Amino acid sequence: MSTGLWILFIVLALLAGAAIGFFAARQYMMKYLKENPPINEQMLRMMMAQMGRKPSEKQVKQMMNQMNKAQK
């Protein structure tokens, strides 16, 4: 086989691997987010209520800001 044909096969294999990897990672992340949704304000209020606290809107906003800063 010629060198040009080998290079073509290698490039095609790399492109196919990148495409398959992209779609596999996308599917995995969609499944993960479906099973483990990120915490929103309503979930935070519910968690605080289960701990016996009645949070004010200010407390909820502060907790959300703290959680967002911790993720960065």
Side-chain angles (χ1 to χ4, degrees):
M1 259 203 258
S2 69
T3 306
L5 198 55
W6 274 102
I7 292 173
L8 178 65
F9 285 149
I10 291 171
V11 169
L12 288 176
L14 287 173
L15 290 175
I20 291 170
F22 170 77
F23 287 111
R26 182 176 175 264
Q27 187 69 25
Y28 172 78
M29 286 303 297
M30 289 175 70
K31 180 182 175 216
Y32 177 80
L33 288 174
K34 184 178 178 184
E35 292 174 357
N36 304 307
I39 294 178
N40 58 18
E41 290 180 8
Q42 186 64 29
M43 291 174 72
L44 191 58
R45 282 188 189 93
M46 187 171 51
M47 288 186 336
M48 292 178 87
Q50 288 175 349
M51 290 188 289
R53 296 185 60 190
K54 176 87 169 110
S56 67
E57 190 65 26
K58 181 180 178 181
Q59 290 173 330
V60 172
K61 294 288 184 188
Q62 285 176 339
M63 290 291 288
M64 285 301 294
N65 286 338
Q66 288 176 353
M67 292 175 71
N68 289 336
K69 285 181 184 178
Q71 286 179 345
K72 292 181 182 180

